[in-house]
Amino acid sequence: MIEKCLLASTEISSLEVINQTTVATAVSEMGSLKVSRLIVTDPNGAAIYDSLSENNAQGKYVLFPEIVQAMKGNDVFSWTYRNGIMNSCAATPITSYGRLLGCVYIMEQDTAQGALIDSLQQNIFVITLILELAVILFSLVFSSAITNRLRRFMVSMRIIREGDYAHKVNMGGHDELTVLGDEFNELTQKLHDSEQKRRQFVSDASHELKTPLASIKLLTDSILQNDMDVDTVHEFVEDIGNEADRLNRMSQKLLSLSRLESQADSDYEIVYLAPTVEKVVRMLSAIAKEHDIQIQVNLNDDAPILIQEDDLYQIIFNLTENGIKYNREGGSLYISVHRDADNAVLQVADTGVGIPEDSVNHIFERFYRVDKARSRKSGGSGLGLSIVRSLVERNRGEIKVESELGKGTAFTLAFPVFDTEEVDK
Ligand code: ADP
């Protein structure tokens, strides 16, 4: 367009006189221009020639923006699109030896390009519409997928809240919700395990309590129903007393077990093992004497440890009591204390019945007894060693057992030495 304009400007600038007639002649000679409208103005913007109205245009000011720009010496091109028609306009100044003689303005109307733009606009509109619909659809699908998974999660939570701890959440996918589901499953697995332990404990405990209660019932029924002599009644009442004692001991141990689980760590003291060993031996020496068992202690290489003293007493008491209970008449019990590198080591070894190999791994379980009859006779509940193990672990210690059937059993405990000198440094 600008080239056409420049061509017309050059032609017109070469005219000797610029008026409507000379311009009209020059324009008709430039047959190749083929534009919809051509205007030629003087330097003030007044029309000299207008191809649309050749006779009436003269002298009228045509101050189109393009013409105003061209009068300032610029070559201008612009286009507009309206109602399927593309209007392209161009204007250039007419100069001769640097003097502005006027300007040429041409305009072309193109319906083919207009149709092209029209269809392009329609296509863009359709594509935008499809994209918008796709975005809306995608957000709906996506949000409903998340809502579905969250709903599944809520349903699982409700099931678990109602007590089905074995239930597992299945979130599917590989995103944060999946991780959340896995964490939740781990949590419920822990709940499930502890619930099972609790149930096992309650059932074991009630089973253990049932036996002495059944004996008491049997003994009282026998006394009431039979015509017994005083000596037999006396004997039966003594048995009832023994069963009651057993129940008492068992409930005390159950109490200390539950206290052990709920009690927070507190009151740690720096203590030596020897004084507590001596205290326990003093307490149990009468029973040992009764069974003709000799207790030998060696407490020369003692070391301080950080422990709750009541726990230490309970540990040594249970092990020493077992060493007497599961010993043979005339047997021995050795209790020694020594230091081994960073550990204070306590050993309680007896010359008793020993523990069968397949039972050694079970003796720390609650209510486990190798020989139920013997244990019951000696007042056992199967709880002593499980209490010992919990107490040892709570005080950062370790416990090991070695046993040989018919020869004896040795329990070895190690607690980290609490060196006050090192702390002082
Ligand atoms: P109990 O109250 O029956 O003694 P424990 O938990 O103290 O319960 O011990 C569990 C079982 O381990 C006992 O029933 C017994 O069979 C066995 N046991 C424990 N200590 C000894 C030991 N020093 N010698 C032989 N067997 C032992």
Side-chain angles (χ1 to χ4, degrees):
M1 286 286 282
I2 290 215
E3 270 172 20
K4 281 184 185 179
C5 231
L6 284 172
L7 183 72
S9 302
T10 319
E11 282 296 320
I12 292 163
S13 68
S14 64
L15 295 173
E16 275 178 25
V17 182
I18 300 176
N19 59 33
Q20 196 202 2
T21 324
T22 54
V23 171
T25 315
V27 170
S28 65
E29 281 170 6
M30 290 185 284
S32 61
L33 272 181
K34 285 188 191 135
V35 291
S36 310
R37 189 178 188 182
L38 188 144
I39 301 172
V40 177
T41 69
D42 67 9
N44 302 316
I48 297 170
Y49 170 84
D50 185 344
S51 63
L52 276 190
S53 52
E54 284 187 19
N55 300 321
N56 309 326
Q58 221 176 352
K60 283 185 188 161
Y61 284 94
V62 268
L63 297 174
F64 297 154
E66 293 81 8
I67 292 176
V68 174
Q69 283 299 315
M71 285 192 310
K72 287 180 187 163
N74 303 317
D75 300 336
V76 191
F77 173 78
S78 71
W79 65 271
T80 53
Y81 167 78
R82 198 173 298 137
N83 302 329
I85 299 166
M86 182 157 149
N87 283 311
S88 314
C89 310
T92 54
I94 307 166
T95 50
S96 173
Y97 302 106
R99 200 162 58 87
L100 184 72
L101 303 177
C103 72
V104 177
Y105 168 88
I106 55 173
M107 190 188 79
E108 249 179 32
Q109 284 190 330
D110 192 337
T111 45
Q113 277 199 35
L116 200 73
I117 290 179
D118 212 21
S119 83
L120 209 71
Q121 271 189 343
Q122 271 182 9
N123 283 345
I124 289 173
F125 176 72
V126 171
I127 290 170
T128 313
L129 205 73
I130 291 172
L131 276 177
E132 274 175 8
L133 282 175
V135 167
I136 292 171
L137 206 75
F138 182 73
S139 345
L140 281 176
V141 170
F142 191 65
S143 72
S144 95
I146 289 195
T147 317
N148 268 342
R149 293 171 77 198
L150 283 176
R151 201 173 299 132
R152 234 161 44 207
F153 197 64
M154 299 292 283
V155 170
S156 294
M157 276 171 83
R158 212 166 298 136
I159 294 172
I160 290 159
R161 201 178 58 205
E162 275 161 20
D164 182 3
Y165 296 124
H167 179 81
K168 292 269 170 291
V169 183
N170 181 12
M171 296 303 283
H174 302 281
D175 55 8
E176 279 78 7
L177 280 180
T178 322
V179 177
L180 187 73
D182 291 347
E183 292 284 328
F184 188 74
N185 284 341
E186 252 175 61
L187 194 78
T188 49
Q189 184 59 46
K190 280 195 180 142
L191 265 177
H192 181 54
D193 292 349
S194 78
E195 176 64 11
Q196 263 191 336
K197 271 189 202 157
R198 191 187 65 82
R199 280 195 194 161
Q200 184 65 41
F201 180 70
V202 170
S203 104
D204 288 349
S206 47
H207 181 260
E208 291 303 320
L209 292 172
K210 235 164 53 189
T211 322
L213 283 172
S215 306
I216 290 171
K217 176 85 174 102
L218 204 74
L219 290 163
T220 49
D221 283 353
S222 307
I223 294 169
L224 291 173
Q225 281 163 17
N226 302 324
D227 204 6
M228 287 182 185
D229 58 89
V230 181
D231 282 349
T232 320
V233 170
H234 195 266
E235 203 179 297
F236 275 32
V237 171
E238 209 176 278
D239 286 345
I240 291 171
N242 286 338
E243 290 301 309
D245 281 346
R246 200 149 78 85
L247 275 174
N248 196 19
R249 275 195 303 274
M250 203 181 288
S251 64
Q252 265 172 4
K253 285 204 169 152
L254 282 171
L255 263 179
S256 76
L257 252 184
S258 78
R259 224 177 290 132
L260 193 89
E261 274 165 10
S262 59
Q263 196 178 317
D265 289 351
S266 62
D267 300 333
Y268 280 95
E269 291 168 70
I270 304 166
V271 293
Y272 282 84
L273 295 166
T276 314
V277 171
E278 281 163 351
K279 205 153 85 181
V280 171
V281 171
R282 263 199 312 277
M283 281 295 293
L284 292 171
S285 60
I287 306 174
K289 212 176 209 171
E290 217 176 280
H291 292 91
D292 193 18
I293 287 155
Q294 231 197 335
I295 302 180
Q296 293 180 27
V297 287
N298 181 358
L299 311 171
N300 297 328
D301 187 16
D302 202 0
I305 58 170
L306 190 68
I307 197 168
Q308 301 186 45
E309 205 185 353
D310 285 349
D311 290 357
L312 182 64
Y313 180 84
Q314 187 74 65
I315 293 166
I316 300 174
F317 187 94
N318 286 6
L319 292 176
T320 311
E321 195 188 29
N322 279 357
I324 297 167
K325 268 195 318 196
Y326 300 107
N327 220 315
R328 53 181 168 78
E329 287 286 319
S332 302
L333 180 65
Y334 304 97
I335 306 175
S336 69
V337 163
H338 71 270
R339 185 181 175 143
D340 179 11
D342 291 337
N343 287 321
V345 179
L346 167 79
Q347 195 169 56
V348 182
D350 61 59
T351 55
V353 293
I355 304 166
E357 219 178 304
D358 54 345
S359 295
V360 172
N361 290 332
H362 299 288
I363 55 169
F364 294 105
E365 289 166 13
R366 284 171 188 177
F367 301 111
Y368 184 84
R369 286 166 295 189
V370 176
D371 179 349
K372 285 211 174 220
R374 182 183 175 120
S375 169
R376 189 165 300 131
K377 213 167 72 198
S378 54
S381 59
L383 290 171
L385 285 182
S386 75
I387 293 175
V388 167
R389 186 171 64 177
S390 301
L391 290 172
V392 169
E393 283 172 358
R394 183 161 92 168
N395 289 283
R396 294 174 293 275
E398 273 178 31
I399 182 163
K400 277 192 216 140
V401 57
E402 278 171 280
S403 187
E404 203 174 326
L405 208 55
K407 289 211 165 159
T409 306
F411 288 92
T412 309
L413 286 80
F415 294 99
V417 170
F418 192 84
D419 260 326
T420 43
E421 274 174 31
E422 266 179 37
V423 173
D424 289 345
K425 274 183 220 164

